[in-house]
Amino acid sequence: MKKALALVIPTLASAAIMTTTHAETVSFDRDAPGALPAGWRAGVTGRGSPKWSVEADTSAPSRPNVLKQSGSGTFPWCVRSDASLADGYVEVKFKPLTGREDQAGGVVWRWKDGNNYYVARANALEDNVSLYYTQNGSRRTLKYVDAPVPRNIWHTLRVEFSGKKIAVLYDGRAYIEMEDDHIAGTGAVGVWTKADSVTLFDDFSYGALTDIGRPPS
């Protein structure tokens, strides 16, 4: 995590120290298998029947449990409904398993409802990392970057955001750094998939960033 922060600090803060407050990590290990984790809600942007549940998995980075999406839908999501961040970070470990149409794992932030939020994802079928905003139920692409995303392997996806600035990091490397202001203000954070992706998630963490200083001129 320290390596990732070092990559992004020059972009988000040119002359100040960045500190993280109110950080929390969810390992899903205290939740009963077969149901949603406590304090989370799930749904889909568009249509479909996603299935989010805590499951036991021996490959989990922090055993024994993971959060699994095994249904299908246009864009299934699962969010920590009691979290509210305007500026901060969100990070998760994910493992893409199967999917004929897609094999994606993503994170969402500034989630207002199932039709309005930011999302960054990595895709094992396309071998890329991408950034989108979803507004009024329509997903809009901001940027794609090629990246190797082998399936059946655990990866780490992290996003840092402050005002208009967004940085997307995948497996410790910054792939996307840009500005966008389509979704402003506070919102929930969570995880995301696409179509028939069967994906595992573990060690979901998030927090607020403070004292990030002035943006570079």
Side-chain angles (χ1 to χ4, degrees), residues 27 30 43 47 51 60 75 105 109 117 135 151 161 193 201 207:
S27 65
R30 296 182 179 181
R47 299 180 178 180
K51 181 182 178 182
F75 303 118
W109 67 100
Y117 54 85
Q135 198 165 50
R151 65 186 182 92
F161 46 99
T193 67
F201 298 90

Side-chain angles (χ1 to χ4, degrees), residues 24-28 40 62 67 78-80 83 89-93 106-108 157 188-192 201-207:
E24 184 170 349
T25 298
V26 182
S27 65
F28 309 109
W40 291 65
S62 58
L67 177 62
C78 189
V79 298
R80 183 71 182 260
Y89 77 92
V90 58
E91 178 178 305
V92 75
K93 294 181 174 67
V107 293
V108 300
L157 185 64
V189 293
V191 293
W192 179 99
F201 298 90
D202 198 12
D203 294 342
F204 178 84
S205 63
Y206 61 95

Side-chain angles (χ1 to χ4, degrees), residues 57-85:
D57 188 276
T58 57
S59 75
S62 58
R63 290 181 286 181
N65 292 345
V66 299
L67 177 62
K68 182 178 184 179
Q69 200 299 116
S70 56
S72 64
T74 310
F75 303 118
W77 48 261
C78 189
V79 298
R80 183 71 182 260
S81 55
D82 61 353
S84 182
L85 293 177

Side-chain angles (χ1 to χ4, degrees), residues 183-201:
I183 310 292
T186 61
V189 293
V191 293
W192 179 99
T193 67
K194 179 185 174 184
D196 61 345
S197 302
V198 178
T199 308
L200 306 181
F201 298 90

Side-chain angles (χ1 to χ4, degrees), residues 45 75 114-117 132-141:
T45 304
F75 303 118
N115 292 318
N116 297 277
Y117 54 85
Y132 310 92
Y133 70 93
T134 298
Q135 198 165 50
N136 298 323
S138 179
R139 189 187 67 162
R140 305 293 184 181
T141 302

Side-chain angles (χ1 to χ4, degrees), residues 140-201:
R140 305 293 184 181
T141 302
L142 290 171
K143 191 168 184 178
Y144 277 93
V145 178
D146 291 337
V149 188
R151 65 186 182 92
N152 291 316
I153 292 176
W154 285 98
H155 304 281
T156 301
L157 185 64
R158 178 183 176 95
V159 177
E160 298 182 359
F161 46 99
S162 176
K164 298 180 181 181
K165 295 185 178 295
I166 302 171
V168 181
L169 299 96
Y170 165 69
D171 283 349
R173 174 182 170 186
Y175 277 84
I176 298 173
E177 296 180 79
M178 64 177 297
E179 293 188 359
D180 185 78
D181 61 358
H182 283 93
I183 310 292
T186 61
V189 293
V191 293
W192 179 99
T193 67
K194 179 185 174 184
D196 61 345
S197 302
V198 178
T199 308
L200 306 181
F201 298 90

